[in-house]
Amino acid sequence: MAIILPIALCILGPIGSIVGEYISNALIALGNMGGLATILSMALIAALWEYIVMAGMHWLFITTIFMILAQDGVESVVAPSVLLAAFTVGGMCSGAMLRIKDKEQRALAFSYIIAQMIGGVTEAGLYGIGVRYKRPFIGMMAGGIAAGLFASIVGLQVYNFLPVASFLGLLSFIGGSTMNLVYAIIGAVIAFVVSTIVTYILGVDESKNENKEVIKQ
C-alpha cells in the first residue's frame, strides 16, 4: 500500500487524466466536423467506450456532456454513443452465455446481463466475461460500431443525460420528437443483438481458464 498508493495518486492518476482529456477533445472535435467525421467519431466512441470506463477516463466525457447540455440543451455526438454502448456489454455476456458449457459460469453470465440491463453495472460483465475470455471483447466492439453508425445516421440526440448503463438511460432521449426515442430503442437493440451474434460466432475459449483452475488446485 505504501508503494502503490503514491504511484496511483501522484503518477497514474494525473497521467490518466491528461490522456483522457486529449482523447475526449480529439473525439469531440472529430464529431463536430460533421459528415463522415461525425459518423467515424460516434462509431469509435461507442466501440471504445467500455475500455475508457475501465481506464477510469469516462468522467471527462460525462463532464463535457453536461457542459454542452447546459449550454445548448441538446447533445448529439458523445451522449448517444455512450448510452448505446452500455448495451454491448449485455450483448457480449448473452453471446458468451450461449456458448459457455460450464453451468456455473453460464449462470454468472446471465447475472451479468441482468446487472447491466437492470442495475446499470457493466463492470461485472467486462471483467467476468471480457477479461476472463478476451474474445468476447471483439463482439462488444462490433456492437458498439454498429450502434454508433446507426446513431449517427439517424441523428440521435440527448436532451437530459442520465449517466446510467441500464435501460433507464434511454430516458435521456426524451425531449424531442417521438421518433428520437424510438430510434434510441432501436439503437440499443442493435447494440445488444450485434454483440450477441458476433460473440456467439467467435465463441469463448474455456480451456485456458480450465487449465488455470487445475494449476491452482
Side-chain angles (χ1 to χ4, degrees):
M1 293 294 290
I3 297 173
I4 293 175
L5 278 179
I7 292 176
L9 295 175
C10 300
I11 300 177
L12 298 181
I15 290 176
S17 179
I18 294 171
V19 172
E21 184 176 0
Y22 277 112
I23 294 174
S24 175
N25 292 337
L27 290 175
I28 292 173
L30 185 65
N32 291 332
M33 291 181 182
L36 291 176
T38 299
I39 295 175
L40 176 61
S41 175
M42 295 183 71
L44 285 174
I45 293 173
L48 302 176
W49 178 246
E50 297 304 333
Y51 296 111
I52 294 173
V53 171
M54 292 173 70
M57 297 187 292
H58 57 299
W59 290 110
L60 293 167
F61 287 83
I62 293 174
T63 302
T64 302
I65 291 171
F66 280 121
M67 290 175 60
I68 295 174
L69 284 174
Q71 179 179 343
D72 302 330
V74 63
E75 207 284 317
S76 57
V77 177
V78 182
S81 304
V82 304
L83 289 170
L84 296 183
F87 294 92
T88 64
V89 178
M92 172 185 71
C93 296
S94 177
M97 180 186 69
L98 296 174
R99 293 297 298 267
I100 293 175
K101 297 178 180 179
D102 184 87
K103 292 183 179 180
E104 182 179 347
Q105 293 303 319
R106 195 186 309 144
L108 285 173
F110 179 74
S111 70
Y112 300 152
I113 300 173
I114 302 301
Q116 182 270 302
M117 297 290 287
I118 307 298
V121 179
T122 58
E123 285 79 3
L126 289 172
Y127 291 99
I129 296 296
V131 173
R132 183 181 180 86
Y133 298 108
K134 309 296 188 300
R135 206 178 295 168
F137 272 142
I138 300 175
M140 182 190 74
M141 293 177 66
I145 292 173
L149 290 174
F150 175 79
S152 63
I153 292 172
V154 300
L156 268 182
Q157 294 181 320
V158 164
Y159 298 91
N160 183 22
F161 185 64
L162 296 176
V164 294
S166 67
F167 73 95
L168 292 176
L170 296 174
L171 298 176
S172 302
F173 296 93
I174 297 176
S177 65
T178 303
M179 286 307 299
N180 189 68
L181 177 60
V182 172
Y183 285 142
I185 295 173
I186 294 174
V189 172
I190 290 174
F192 188 92
V193 171
V194 172
S195 297
T196 299
I197 293 174
V198 175
T199 302
Y200 179 81
I201 292 174
L202 294 176
V204 294
D205 186 2
E206 297 182 79
S207 60
K208 293 181 180 179
N209 293 291
E210 290 176 355
N211 292 336
K212 290 180 181 178
E213 293 297 328
V214 171
I215 292 174
K216 288 181 180 179
Q217 293 175 2

